[in-house]
Amino acid sequence: MLDIQNLHATVNDKPILNGINLQVNAGEVHAIMGPNGSGKSTTAYVLAGRDGYDVNQGHISFEGKNLLDMEPEIRTRAGLFLGFQYPVEIPGVSNMYMLKAALNAIRMHRGEGELDAIDFLQLVKQKARELNIDEKFLYRDVNVGFSGGEKKRNEILQMAMLEPKLVVLDEIDSGLDIDALKVVADGINALRSPERAFVIVTHYKRLLDYIQPDFVHVLSEGRIVKSGNISLADELEEQGYGWIETAPTGTDG
Amino acid sequence: MNTEVLADQVVSDDTPIANKEIHDVIGAEYAPGFVTDVESDALPPGLNEDVVRAISAKKDEPEWMTEWRLKAFRIWQKMESPDWAKVSFPPIDFQNISYYSAPKTMKDKPKSLDEVDPKLLETYKKLGIPLHEQERLAGVAVDAVFDSVSVATTFKGKLADAGVIFCPISEAIRDHPDLVKQYLGSVVSLSDNFFSALNSAVFSDGSFVFIPKGVRCPMELSTYFRINASNTGQFERTLIIAEDSSHVSYLEGCTAPMRDENQLHAAVVELVALDDAEIKYSTVQNWYPGDENGKGGIYNFVTKRGECRGNNSKISWTQVETGSAITWKYPSCVLTGDNSIGEFYSVAVTNNFQQADTGSKMIHIGKNTSSTIISKGISAGKSQSSYRGLVKMMKHAENARNFTQCDSLLIGDKCGAHTFPYIEVRQPSSTVEHEASTSKIGEDQLFYLQQRGISAEDAVSLIVNGFCKEVFKELPMEFAVEAQALLGISLEGSVG
Ligand SMILES: Nc1ncnc2c1ncn2[C@@H]1O[C@H](COP(=O)(O)OP(=O)(O)OP(=O)(O)O)[C@@H](O)[C@H]1O
Ligand SMILES: [Mg+2]
């Protein structure tokens, strides 16, 4: 589904990603761990097509198509979803309104036609209920005044609504209380399917215990330096990153 | 004027957006920019007493009206064009403008729509304002003004049954002279300002509305102003009178062809609300704004003022200003009657090289008067947008209250937003509240919405509409939809 080959990227002319290789197949769940500043969020932004994140080497294909050729919104409509490490506040625009615009843009792209107001309302309320999100959040402006954990849950709500093929979640577990973490993990697990893949960036094993990823990768200085299974996360939890960073360059998973 | 500047908030070129170049690219398509090919009967360019007399004669006006105009003209001659607004343009050569232009076919004063030149009817149809009975917007009566004349007024009969007078002002001068004499110039005096004095001398057409005591106007009234002829100024004059306990909602729309030259539109609108009466006045202003290089466009210099003359009366202005090269406009309320209420809700959008200096004045004279000003300015491209407002609490305005909120939204880093609130308080028991904010559509916001599948342009619309929703909810339903669409078009090409 996703094939990242030798990806090099700069931000403001500063090299951040230095040759990432990663293959993700449908149905797989990949976790990416790694020290602060190693390039995890940068990788996510490059995938989503954020302006200013310049790819100067390598390529990315998504379902056989050149991802780097697509505008950000086209990537989303093609099935890529990014849950942000820091979800953005948008004053004046209600959550509900944004979700409707987003869902309909995606549905139009898929040739499904727009959802009418009543069906949409039903759907969004049902998803909110499943994720234990109070209905009143739907009527509030996007992320405005939301607590850190509420913002993260809102990302999961959007993911659930948009039903992407490839979900990239950047530190979705940071700032969540124990109950919310469970809700978010359940939300992710509920969406797992043989047609869908996940790339989950996290610093903590706790989320991975709930999710049981197929692969765990360690990113360091813009490169994947080690890949393994969930036991790698256990080792990291015990020993930190020090022992890996000196290790020779690992490869794909 | 004894005013005090409380704040001058300026945001300009010094806030670049990281990672994303937001700039003005393609000029937005201005759909109403077509020209209707009709032969017109126009006065040659130039302005003097003979021209004023000629206009009056073309309108078959009574002597008193001609004299009124001449008096205004003499006042205007002694006045200077105001220079305090934050707009810049080369001096206007008033001798180079034609002050009257009307389609030749209107000369015989068509008695019904069947006699009106089909080309004119077609023009309004194209603009989405069908005048024919069967196609009309249900519940909205329209007075269609084309250059210097009114082409048609719909639903006159139905309105007359309710006692409402809705007609071109030129007709009111002939048919209802006493009302016109009593109220014309009673809110905006001849000497009020340079452009209102000019308008008083040369005004051509506009609408007259009279709602008698106790009548709730059975439908929305509206006037659609169309400038068509080149080199011609449009000087509309509107007068709305709401007698005791009456109610009316009035709407104004306007467009003009795309031309390379600047054209002057200098209007005067006067509203009078007597005891317990309510007037709601909404404007969707879409004059040609000029092209993406700042060439052409309408100079929109307008004096709009309403007086809450009676106790417990209410006047509410709602405006959505998307057009014009320059807008200079401060719809105001004079709150004379006790317990009267004045409101001003505004969205002003500027893109490319547009300049807008707009706001409101609330003059509190009576006791317990209250006013609200909600102003939303949106600037994109290289445009400049200013809010300028005056709140004045006079000596007897006990317990008067004002609340002002003006918010600016910037798109890109080459535009500017400015706020000039003036507050003058002579009555200590009154309260004045002022809130202001400036925000910017951030690259992070656009990217976030794009990541949700929404195009950059739709993302801007979403944010802008959210920013304006307090004002849009004041517009009658159909027009709120139109205004939203217009906003989208005005900002097309503002992100790249
Ligand atoms: N706009 C920018 N300008 C300069 N440097 C940047 C910019 N954005 C990111 N960087 C740098 O790129 C590097 C990688 O950042 P990134 O956000 O990808 O790290 P991360 O792995 O997600 O870290 P964390 O675990 O703290 O979230 C950091 O050193 C960061 O300072
Ligand atoms: Mg990060």
Side-chain angles (χ1 to χ4, degrees), chain A residues 12 45 48 50-52 72-73 76-77 80-82 84 88-93 97-98 102 105 143 155 158, chain B residues 18-21 443-445 447-456 458 462-467 469 484 496:
Chain A
N12 288 342
Y45 287 148
R50 186 165 195 159
D51 223 7
E73 67 269 26
T76 307
R77 294 174 196 172
L80 175 78
F81 179 89
L82 168 61
F84 285 65
V88 179
E89 300 191 359
I90 308 182
V93 179
Y97 200 72
M98 179 200 56
N143 295 324
E155 295 290 287
Q158 296 177 44
Chain B
N19 297 338
K20 174 115 186 171
E21 233 184 310
E443 177 273 335
D444 56 342
Q445 293 175 324
F447 175 63
Y448 187 79
L449 292 172
Q450 277 179 287
Q451 211 309 300
R452 296 308 180 241
I454 299 166
S455 70
D458 289 347
L462 212 61
I463 295 172
V464 166
N465 280 320
F467 177 74
K469 77 185 159 202
Q484 277 194 21

Side-chain angles (χ1 to χ4, degrees), chain B residues 431-444:
Chain B
T431 52
V432 178
E433 270 181 90
H434 180 93
E435 286 177 9
S437 77
T438 300
S439 54
K440 197 175 172 91
I441 296 189
E443 177 273 335
D444 56 342

Side-chain angles (χ1 to χ4, degrees), chain B residues 112 213 276 434:
Chain B
S112 72
K213 210 167 168 163
D276 304 296
H434 180 93

Side-chain angles (χ1 to χ4, degrees), chain A residues 11-12 14 16 35-42 53 85 171 203:
Chain A
V11 182
N12 288 342
K14 181 180 160 197
I16 308 289
N36 294 137
S38 57
K40 302 180 299 294
S41 294
T42 304
Y53 290 72
Q85 182 175 358
E171 295 198 25
H203 286 296

Side-chain angles (χ1 to χ4, degrees), chain A residues 88-119:
Chain A
V88 179
E89 300 191 359
I90 308 182
V93 179
S94 79
N95 233 345
M96 183 91 97
Y97 200 72
M98 179 200 56
L99 267 172
K100 187 157 180 253
L103 182 62
N104 281 333
I106 291 169
R107 287 179 62 98
M108 291 303 276
H109 183 84
R110 292 182 192 149
E112 293 171 348
E114 297 195 350
L115 213 56
D116 70 38
I118 295 166
D119 291 345

